[in-house]
Amino acid sequence: MPTYRGLRQAFRLLNHWFMIPVFRSGLGTAVVSPFAGYIMLLSTIGHKTGRLRWTPVNYALIDGDVYCIAGFGEVAHWARNLAAIPEAEVQLPAGRFWGRVQVLTEEADRLLIGRQILKNAGFAGFVFGFNAFTITDEKLARGIADAPVLRITPSRVISGTFDPGGRGWIGLTVAWLVLLALLVLLVAG
């Protein structure tokens, strides 16, 4: 599998400076769409440091479980973390939970789930040269051969940014106040 070193670096910068802060502030719903892709924030425990690590990944929801794929293969740090400690916190755009992680090994499951994740990935799938809507099973199998496909089964729900005690209301309140101020200026001006 190619390493995509430059692409990995670009995603690392985008994730560190934009995606992670957006999701951690509770504004993940503002950046997901069919074009941008459906993205969740995955929190893993570092296999060397024991510290919490965050990474945004594309996902699919199927039968109450969340599935994701390590697009860069086992070289992805978060995939190594999950191989060592198969538990993660998942922050979907509208909620959070802690779950148990399992690697899918059945090829039919890997293809079915991998295709759905790529369909949900928006432009990211095309960056890797995959059109999930037209790619053959054989080409998809070769493309994800070294990429772990993971199932995350919820074990407990965690309160989210917009739940009681969360801080999501702060950003929304500021946005409403700015909108109200602009409307007052328009009407008064």
Side-chain angles (χ1 to χ4, degrees):
M1 177 177 205
T3 60
Y4 300 103
R5 185 181 174 115
L7 193 57
R8 285 180 57 222
Q9 292 292 64
F11 272 115
R12 184 174 287 146
L13 289 173
L14 175 70
N15 291 342
H16 181 76
W17 294 106
F18 180 71
M19 295 302 291
I20 292 171
V22 165
F23 267 84
R24 292 197 66 208
S25 70
L27 299 174
T29 55
V31 295
V32 297
S33 69
F35 173 74
Y38 292 97
I39 302 162
M40 67 178 182
L41 189 63
L42 188 64
S43 302
T44 62
I45 300 168
H47 68 283
K48 291 181 182 176
T49 65
R51 294 174 55 198
L52 203 57
R53 302 293 185 189
W54 298 277
T55 189
V57 294
N58 296 105
Y59 70 97
L61 294 171
I62 301 171
D63 296 331
D65 290 330
V66 176
Y67 294 85
C68 60
I69 188 167
F72 293 115
E74 293 173 358
V75 69
H77 292 106
W78 64 270
R80 285 193 228 153
N81 291 343
L82 290 174
I85 304 169
E87 297 178 347
E89 178 187 326
V90 173
Q91 185 174 343
L92 299 171
R96 300 181 330 155
F97 69 87
W98 191 262
R100 190 95 178 117
V101 179
Q102 182 180 26
V103 177
L104 298 183
T105 56
E106 292 294 322
E107 191 61 26
D109 292 340
R110 288 174 45 79
L111 286 174
L112 178 72
I113 303 293
R115 183 178 301 278
Q116 188 58 53
I117 294 167
L118 284 171
K119 285 179 180 178
N120 292 353
F123 78 91
F126 293 97
V127 169
F128 287 98
F130 295 114
N131 180 344
F133 299 93
T134 61
I135 192 171
T136 65
D137 284 346
E138 294 78 26
K139 187 173 180 184
L140 180 60
R142 283 192 308 273
I144 66 171
D146 296 331
V149 178
L150 308 167
R151 174 184 19 236
I152 306 170
T153 304
S155 58
R156 64 183 162 101
V157 175
I158 301 171
S159 63
T161 306
F162 291 97
D163 290 324
R167 296 184 179 171
W169 63 272
I170 296 170
L172 286 177
T173 302
V174 169
W176 280 111
L177 290 173
V178 168
L179 181 63
L180 182 62
L182 289 173
L183 286 173
V184 167
L185 288 173
L186 274 171
V187 170

